[in-house]
Amino acid sequence: MGLPAGIDSAVIDRLKDAAGPGGWTADQDLILPHLVEWRDQWTGSTPLLLMPQTTHQAQAILAICHQNRIAVTTQGGNTGLVGAQIPRGEILVSTRRMTAIRSIDPVDDAIIAEAGVVLTRVQDAAREAGKRFPLSLASEGSATIGGLISTNAGGVHVRRHGMMRAQVLGIEAVLPDGSLHAGLSSLRKDNTGYDLKQLLIGAEGTLGLVTAATLRMVSRPQVMAVAMLGLETPDQAVALLHRLEDATGAVAAFEVMNRTGVELAVRNTPSRDPFPDAWPWLALVEFEGSDAGLLARCEEALGAALEAGLAGDALLAQNETQAKAFWFLREEMSAGQKPEGAAAKHDVSVPVSKIPQFLAAADAVVNRLVPGARIVAFGHCSDGNIHYDVVQPAGMEPDAFRALAPALIEAVHDVTVGLDGSISAEHGIGISRRDEFIRREPPTHLALMRAIKTAFDPHGIMNPRVLL
Amino acid sequence: MKLLVPVKRVIDYNVKVRVKPDQTGVDLANVKMSMNPFCEIAVEEAVRLREKGAASEIVVVSIGPAQAQETIRTALAMGADRGILIQTDQDVEPLGVAKLLKAVVEAEAPGAVVMGKQAIDGDNNATGQMLAALLGWPQATFASAITITGDSAEVTREVDGGLQTLKVALPAVITADLRLNEPRFASLPNIMKAKKKPIDMKTPADFGVDVAPRLTVLKVTEPPKREGGAKVADAAELVGKLKEAGVI
């Protein structure tokens, strides 16, 4: 897919015109924040940042790139964790100026938001309309709709409400040749041919630029309760999850954190371990429902779980401040690791029943390969998605650890695949998992994916280093 | 020594308060209600004083609607021993609350009243002071530390410019400031135990107190919307803008 090394300055001028006044910059100081991501794992480069404000401008930009075989990297809120949004010399197209909420309809339960709208704004808009947008994740204050769709983001409410894919009713996207996929439908049922929007969801920007989407809203729960439980083992977590769901039918989130993760978060962030005792595992459970008796049922279910020995201790938030404190600890699991040096991170999923087996096997592998490494295991127990992060041993040179990381990651992923799991549960492939993905994925799958890529993007201009 | 801790049910601190369209008050429909955060700090302090052996019994009292029982249960789950609800759907003003609390104090004869410095709904910061005046007791407000020795209490107060330490004779009214402590979480076994602790149901009439409002609310309005800021290129432009706005 020979892409020219240098871009004709006349073409650059046409791109600037297409983006309009205020829609581009070549000032590297202004571009810099778009070239680094928060974990500082990649630093990119680009000659030009384009920030279209309208779909029409985005179409004009991609049409020029298509005609001139110019490679493009697309970026939303720059919160991706696999490097897909960081350009390496390509033109960078950011959706940051496409920030309109075009409509909100509480009868259709649908909200049309442009790609650059930050997730919390969609959540707030739905709340204003008396509804709820049921996707929540740690980066929701920065992550944008376009990026959430392109990465099929997950988060903490997946078991009950599904991933981003489940929230998308329709998509408007600019295809790589500049033509428009106009699909802002709010239909729940539409069996007319291939469901093309599903290809764009999770495509990591390789098939086109998502410019807007119709998102579904759900009814707002009248009752919410947040509990924190202290556990001895992951087996207890899995048993507890099912016991609480059976007893209440209202488990919206069930997150776990191991001791090391809690300790690092408490040491390095303003979070607090809510228990007086140092439990090996904490489980954060959020219940949601609409009947007045739910709170009492939750209390009974938690009490019964304690009596059955499925948890050692349990706290129930008495107000929103306490609920937020529980969630804050969970959300600081990544930030807590940052000052501790280099880390090898895994975003794996296994069948829920195999979580304990995965943790035991992965821990054994890590202890063998890097004795003294600090394992921070946390995440979405309710859907089998564990963020299994290995922080370097204290006192080790970060580079020495980084040298060991590839073998470590390979071994942890071998454990995952051996348990019928996935090596990328919710973060995607991007750049960081690309080689491994291509090596592990069956050739027939890869062939189909490449055929789809060629059908959408014959010149291979969209996010060319990403995914395939 | 017995401690009396008044607690109030208010709109949860984290809820964005909305004014009713007719400007008669704030919208309470389907809004999450919780214990006033300063009351929570007072309950925590009372429980700690009992854990240190400085107190033997903690009685919590709330004045409000039937649902204020939930607020009392929260205090009982944190460690208080029993509750009193003076049930009324009237929005009772600080003076009415102080008169009712005085009546409760006379019935219960506590060694001290430990209470929040203010409730976050009305932000009056008046009830503790009024109660001390009505009782003729010493008061130590805005406490950030409390030590009880014998028949007196040493209270560190947060005042403008630093800390002031008072010694007050007991019985006294002590009001809690934000930094007095960090309240504990309620554990499930304690929540279940709290359901079995007694709550005495009373009404203002039982104490012969008239809680009819003395004040009339004319209008409730939202604070003015914050206008968007603007970036200036340099200090000179900033000074120019400030002069333009007439602030320097």
Side-chain angles (χ1 to χ4, degrees):
Chain A
M1 301 194 184
L3 297 160
I7 307 169
D8 192 311
S9 67
V11 175
I12 292 276
D13 287 343
R14 283 180 60 205
L15 284 170
K16 291 174 179 174
D17 281 347
W24 62 271
T25 181
D27 181 339
Q28 289 296 326
D29 289 340
L30 297 178
I31 290 175
L32 185 65
H34 293 265
L35 302 180
V36 291
E37 44 84 70
W38 81 277
R39 292 204 299 212
D40 301 327
Q41 295 199 353
W42 294 276
T43 302
S45 64
T46 184
L48 183 64
L49 169 63
L50 299 171
M51 299 163 282
Q53 196 167 24
T54 66
T55 304
H56 190 74
Q57 288 170 342
Q59 284 185 266
I61 288 167
L62 287 195
I64 294 166
C65 291
H66 179 75
Q67 286 154 15
N68 295 279
R69 313 284 198 271
I70 295 169
V72 170
T73 289
T74 51
Q75 188 178 93
N78 193 15
T79 59
L81 295 168
V82 290
Q85 77 278 23
I86 303 297
R88 294 276 170 86
E90 302 92 354
I91 298 282
L92 181 61
V93 177
S94 166
T95 54
R96 57 183 279 184
R97 292 208 306 148
M98 307 187 80
T99 56
I101 289 181
R102 292 190 195 163
S103 71
I104 181 156
D105 189 329
V107 179
D108 290 343
D109 276 333
I111 178 167
I112 297 181
E114 290 187 346
V117 176
V118 170
L119 175 53
T120 45
R121 248 187 87 207
V122 173
Q123 294 167 344
D124 290 345
R127 196 177 302 121
E128 298 273 322
K131 300 285 180 173
R132 175 169 179 227
F133 183 66
L135 192 91
S136 321
L137 36 77
S139 60
E140 63 195 20
S142 310
T144 56
I145 294 304
L148 292 162
I149 290 172
S150 295
T151 57
N152 186 25
V156 299
H157 292 127
V158 168
R159 185 186 173 94
R160 195 168 183 85
H161 294 292
M163 296 181 79
M164 191 63 178
R165 188 182 298 284
Q167 323 308 332
V168 177
L169 300 173
I171 280 182
E172 176 193 271
V174 179
L175 299 178
D177 65 357
S179 59
L180 188 68
H181 171 76
L184 285 179
S185 161
S186 65
L187 299 178
R188 315 273 159 153
K189 287 187 159 183
D190 180 10
N191 281 350
T192 51
Y194 296 145
D195 190 351
L196 295 173
K197 70 172 177 293
Q198 297 298 351
L199 289 173
L200 290 157
I201 300 169
E204 303 187 9
T206 58
L207 302 183
L209 175 68
V210 174
T211 50
T214 317
L215 305 169
R216 73 166 185 146
M217 299 188 290
V218 299
S219 59
R220 196 167 57 170
Q222 302 295 312
V223 184
M224 290 188 85
V226 181
M228 188 76 96
L229 294 106
L231 313 179
E232 295 285 355
T233 66
D235 295 271
Q236 283 181 321
V238 173
L240 188 62
L241 164 66
H242 288 90
R243 175 141 194 157
L244 294 177
E245 177 63 16
D246 289 348
T248 66
V251 174
F254 190 107
E255 302 281 304
V256 293
M257 299 163 252
N258 76 348
R259 185 78 229 147
T260 306
V262 171
E263 275 170 10
L264 296 186
V266 168
R267 183 191 303 166
N268 298 319
T269 75
S271 51
R272 165 184 174 199
D273 181 352
F275 290 104
D277 301 312
W279 292 101
W281 287 86
L282 300 191
L284 190 167
V285 192
E286 188 175 272
F287 302 92
E288 65 175 46
S290 292
D291 63 303
L294 178 63
L295 194 61
R297 275 211 316 287
C298 292
E299 287 175 357
E300 269 168 41
L302 291 165
L306 281 177
E307 276 175 27
L310 293 180
D313 202 352
L315 308 170
L316 190 61
Q318 298 294 301
N319 52 48
E320 287 295 301
T321 305
Q322 293 185 352
K324 280 190 170 183
F326 291 170
W327 273 113
F328 186 71
L329 176 64
R330 163 63 188 83
E331 281 158 9
E332 292 302 274
M333 284 291 114
S334 290
Q337 304 167 28
K338 220 178 167 186
E340 299 287 333
K345 307 218 172 195
H346 311 81
D347 165 42
V348 301
S349 65
V350 293
V352 172
S353 61
K354 293 182 178 173
I355 291 173
Q357 218 180 326
F358 164 77
L359 289 166
D363 286 1
V365 160
V366 171
N367 291 332
R368 178 165 50 81
L369 292 176
V370 192
R374 292 164 292 171
I375 297 164
V376 176
F378 65 99
H380 321 298
C381 181
S382 51
D383 57 37
N385 179 192
I386 299 298
H387 297 300
Y388 189 85
D389 296 349
V390 184
V391 180
Q392 65 163 80
M396 188 186 231
E397 274 300 312
D399 280 338
F401 179 79
R402 285 190 193 102
L404 299 172
L408 186 71
I409 291 170
E410 184 76 20
V412 170
H413 284 170
D414 284 345
V415 170
T416 308
V417 172
L419 292 169
D420 306 317
S422 165
I423 63 163
S424 183
E426 62 176 3
H427 295 167
I429 298 301
I431 296 169
S432 62
R433 296 279 179 258
R434 182 174 179 253
D435 292 346
E436 196 182 347
F437 166 66
I438 289 171
R439 186 154 41 78
R440 289 183 188 265
E441 196 69 8
T444 49
H445 293 193
L446 285 174
L448 271 174
M449 288 189 204
R450 286 184 174 127
I452 291 167
K453 167 74 175 169
T454 307
F456 273 78
D457 184 14
H459 300 328
I461 62 164
M462 296 296 294
N463 287 15
R465 296 164 300 98
V466 170
L467 191 56
L468 287 171
Chain B
M1 181 177 70
K2 187 194 284 184
L3 296 175
L4 184 71
V5 185
V7 296
K8 187 174 185 185
R9 180 176 184 264
V10 299
I11 292 188
D12 190 280
Y13 169 73
N14 292 280
V15 169
K16 194 177 168 214
V17 174
R18 282 172 212 284
V19 172
K20 282 187 199 163
D22 65 3
Q23 299 194 326
T24 55
V26 299
D27 194 355
L28 295 179
N30 285 328
V31 169
K32 165 96 177 159
M33 306 290 282
S34 301
M35 192 194 297
N36 174 42
F38 292 106
C39 300
E40 206 186 341
I41 293 168
V43 173
E44 173 67 28
E45 195 63 17
V47 174
R48 288 186 190 188
L49 287 170
R50 195 190 49 201
E51 284 167 354
K52 284 180 205 150
S56 52
E57 188 188 14
I58 300 164
V59 180
V60 291
V61 54
S62 190
I63 298 157
Q67 298 94 314
Q69 284 178 85
E70 293 162 18
T71 312
I72 294 174
R73 294 276 174 218
T74 298
L76 297 176
M78 290 172 73
D81 298 294
R82 62 188 172 87
I84 301 166
L85 174 62
I86 304 174
Q87 197 178 333
T88 171
D89 291 325
Q90 181 77 250
D91 189 11
V92 187
E93 290 167 0
L95 184 58
V97 173
K99 286 178 179 174
L100 283 169
L101 292 178
K102 175 175 181 271
V104 174
V105 165
E106 281 161 358
E108 293 284 342
V113 176
V114 182
M115 59 196 291
K117 69 169 182 177
Q118 72 195 72
I120 61 167
D121 49 2
D123 270 345
N124 289 302
N125 190 340
T127 305
Q129 294 88 332
M130 287 178 174
L131 176 62
L134 291 176
L135 287 167
W137 284 9
Q139 57 176 295
T141 51
F142 315 135
S144 62
I146 301 172
T147 318
I148 289 178
T149 24
D151 54 2
S152 67
E154 211 172 84
V155 177
T156 304
R157 307 179 66 226
E158 298 197 350
V159 295
D160 287 347
L163 300 175
Q164 180 188 49
T165 305
L166 296 180
K167 188 172 178 182
V168 290
L170 294 175
V173 175
I174 303 170
T175 73
D177 212 328
L178 192 64
R179 277 166 286 275
L180 180 57
N181 59 51
E182 194 173 15
R184 70 196 58 197
F185 297 102
S187 80
L188 210 81
N190 287 338
I191 291 169
M192 299 318 252
K193 270 186 227 157
K195 289 185 193 294
K196 299 192 178 103
K197 293 180 181 175
I199 297 181
D200 227 358
M201 303 294 283
K202 299 280 189 188
T203 65
D206 293 339
F207 298 99
V209 175
D210 174 15
V211 293
R214 309 287 170 96
L215 306 172
T216 309
V217 174
L218 300 178
K219 189 164 81 165
V220 178
T221 55
E222 301 247 2
K225 287 250 182 309
R226 228 189 108 181
E227 284 174 35
K231 278 192 177 169
V232 292
D234 50 32
E237 193 188 339
L238 176 65
V239 170
K241 291 266 184 201
L242 290 174
K243 279 187 176 157
E244 223 171 86
V247 292
I248 55 170

